[in-house]
């Protein structure tokens, strides 16, 4: 049995400490976004995994509130960019301006220089502007006039799309969708939570939230996640599912190697914040839809037939055997 970890495996006691820190952060965010425990936890898992979020939902369901609450909880700043067809790349990244007083060129940073960046209705901007955001998502920096400028850490892009009104939009290409670690849907609140929101009960403004962690503490959690044990049986399960998507008749494009690596990395984080020093096949199943579904490209026949990536992925998961309890992949390092 091969141990895939850069250092000594994490102990259960160590995992519990980081789980408590994560739970405090999640509870803090939930005080501004009632009734969305699962979405909040997945969003924070993405942040700790150094990934980015794509939120697809109708207006008014709390997408911006979620991003602002995360920024407040990590003692960071947030910026919002309303993407429109006339938005230029420099409006996102920043621009170099000549200072008459100093007789020198100075860089004026754009809104991406924040801890949480809300890219509102990203599909309304031109492909060139979308690509400018793509660079900073991938590199953690922007290059303007040949000079590289690093964005602050932690750094999370929360891009939103409105699936209802699609006229005048530029569809995100598959290569760009693949750059988002997760795609989430906030959805409507349940009746009890929505009634509390209408009344204003227990609802806290995102900007009024106290910080529950900072960059240094988050880095400790990230380092701990790298020490979470992942057995070969779990890696092989991830690979089997991925290979099944590449051969499935309903899919034109299956999961890339980037997608399998993203799953392994995110499964470690989910295991840690769940209080376990080891990942299991259940972690993969929990993360399959948010991490993988948006990366799948349907065949023309499947698309016309009304199928979705979520449907096909669920079918593949149900037909792909997972390591069973008692198998090293499910019980390692307990």
């Amino acid at each position: 049995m091969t141990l895939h970890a850069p250092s000594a495996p994490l102990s259960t006691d160590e995992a519990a400490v980081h789980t408590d820190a994560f739970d405090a952060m999640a509870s803090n965010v939930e005080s501004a976004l009632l009734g969305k425990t699962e979405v909040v936890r997945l969003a924070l898992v993405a942040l700790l995994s150094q990934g980015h979020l794509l939120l697809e939902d109708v207006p008014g369901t709390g997408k911006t509130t979620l991003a602002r609450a995360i920024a407040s909880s990590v003692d960071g700043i947030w910026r919002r960019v309303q993407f429109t067809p006339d938005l230029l790349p420099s409006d996102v990244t920043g621009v170099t301006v000549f200072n008459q007083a100093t007789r020198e060129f100075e860089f004026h940073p754009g809104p991406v220089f924040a801890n949480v960046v809300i890219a509102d209705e990203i599909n309304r901007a031109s492909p060139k502007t979308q690509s400018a955001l793509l660079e900073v998502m991938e590199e953690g920096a922007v290059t303007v006039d040949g000079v590289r400028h690093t964005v602050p850490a932690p750094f999370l892009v929360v891009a939103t799309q409105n699936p209802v009104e699609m006229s005048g939009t530029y569809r995100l290409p598959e290569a760009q969708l693949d750059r988002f670690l997760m795609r989430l849907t906030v959805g409507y609140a349940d009746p009890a939570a929505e009634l509390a929101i209408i009344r204003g009960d227990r609802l806290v403004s995102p900007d009024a939230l106290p910080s529950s962690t900072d960059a240094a503490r988050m880095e400790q959690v990230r380092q701990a996640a790298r020490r979470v044990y992942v057995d070969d049986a779990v890696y092989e399960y991830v690979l089997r599912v991925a290979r099944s998507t590449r051969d499935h008749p309903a899919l034109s494009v299956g999961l890339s190697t980037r997608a399998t690596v993203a799953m392994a990395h995110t499964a470690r984080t989910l295991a840690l914040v769940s209080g376990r020093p080891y990942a299991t096949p259940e972690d993969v199943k929990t993360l399959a839809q948010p991490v993988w579904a948006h990366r799948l490209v349907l065949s023309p026949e499947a698309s016309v037939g009304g199928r979705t990536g979520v449907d096909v992925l669920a079918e593949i998961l149900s037909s792909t055997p997972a390591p069973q309890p008692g198998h090293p992949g499910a019980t390692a390092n307990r």
Side-chain angles (χ1 to χ4, degrees):
M1 191 183 303
T2 304
L3 182 67
H4 295 268
S7 56
L10 201 69
S11 70
T12 301
D13 290 342
E14 287 179 291
V17 171
H18 296 297
T19 300
D20 290 342
F22 178 85
D23 289 343
M25 185 163 48
S27 296
N28 201 44
V29 174
E30 283 184 68
S31 63
L33 192 71
L34 299 180
K36 294 298 175 183
T37 301
E38 182 179 0
V39 172
V40 167
R41 290 182 68 86
L42 286 173
L44 292 176
V45 166
L47 174 64
L48 292 170
S49 301
Q50 295 182 297
H52 303 286
L53 291 174
L54 178 63
L55 299 182
E56 285 191 347
D57 220 329
V58 296
T61 53
K63 300 186 293 295
T64 302
T65 299
L66 172 61
R68 290 169 58 189
I70 290 174
S72 295
S73 294
V74 300
D75 195 23
I77 59 175
W78 67 276
R79 294 287 184 269
R80 179 178 177 273
V81 186
Q82 181 63 55
F83 277 62
T84 57
D86 60 347
L87 193 73
L88 299 175
S90 58
D91 295 328
V92 176
T93 61
V95 64
T96 301
V97 178
F98 184 71
N99 188 321
Q100 293 282 1
T102 62
R103 311 296 295 176
E104 294 180 347
F105 285 96
E106 296 178 349
F107 176 65
H108 288 205
V112 293
F113 287 84
N115 299 109
V116 179
V117 178
I118 306 169
D120 214 356
E121 295 190 291
I122 185 176
N123 55 331
R124 294 199 177 278
S126 68
K128 188 173 184 179
T129 303
Q130 291 177 2
S131 296
L133 183 65
L134 175 64
E135 179 195 353
V136 70
M137 286 169 54
E138 183 70 13
E139 304 294 335
V142 298
T143 302
V144 178
D145 294 334
V147 180
R148 182 180 174 89
H149 304 274
T150 303
V151 298
F155 179 65
L156 172 70
V157 171
V158 180
T160 72
Q161 287 193 123
N162 180 354
V164 177
E165 185 184 351
M166 299 300 290
S167 60
T169 63
Y170 297 85
R171 180 175 174 271
L172 291 178
E174 283 72 25
Q176 189 160 336
L177 284 172
D178 200 36
R179 305 287 180 170
F180 288 97
L181 179 63
M182 292 187 193
R183 180 181 64 183
L184 300 175
T185 299
V186 177
Y188 294 111
D190 61 65
E194 188 165 6
L195 184 59
I197 293 170
I198 295 171
R199 288 173 172 168
D201 297 344
R202 301 179 290 112
L203 198 60
V204 180
S205 169
D207 296 329
L209 289 177
S211 62
S212 58
T213 188
D214 55 26
R217 184 70 184 88
M218 290 179 62
E219 184 57 28
Q220 292 176 355
V221 177
R222 290 193 185 106
Q223 292 297 331
R226 293 174 184 172
R227 295 168 55 205
V228 168
Y229 179 85
V230 184
D231 192 82
D232 273 346
V234 178
Y235 283 126
E236 290 164 2
Y237 176 59
V238 169
L239 182 58
R240 285 199 305 273
V241 174
R243 291 181 67 87
S244 295
T245 66
R246 298 165 191 170
D247 300 328
H248 200 284
L251 298 174
S252 296
V253 178
L255 296 172
S256 66
T257 302
R258 180 190 288 120
T260 57
V261 172
M263 173 59 76
H265 183 44
T266 314
R268 289 190 188 96
T269 304
L270 181 61
L272 175 66
V273 303
S274 300
R276 286 180 281 103
Y278 56 90
T280 70
E282 289 305 314
D283 294 322
V284 176
K285 292 178 180 179
T286 298
L287 293 167
Q289 180 176 329
V291 174
W292 277 345
H294 65 287
R295 304 171 193 260
L296 301 174
V297 180
L298 293 170
S299 67
E301 296 79 10
S303 183
V304 170
R307 303 190 71 181
T308 66
V310 173
D311 298 332
V312 177
L313 185 58
E315 176 185 313
I316 292 173
L317 287 170
S318 66
S319 62
T320 304
Q324 298 300 310
H327 190 286
T331 60
N333 202 38
R334 289 195 178 188

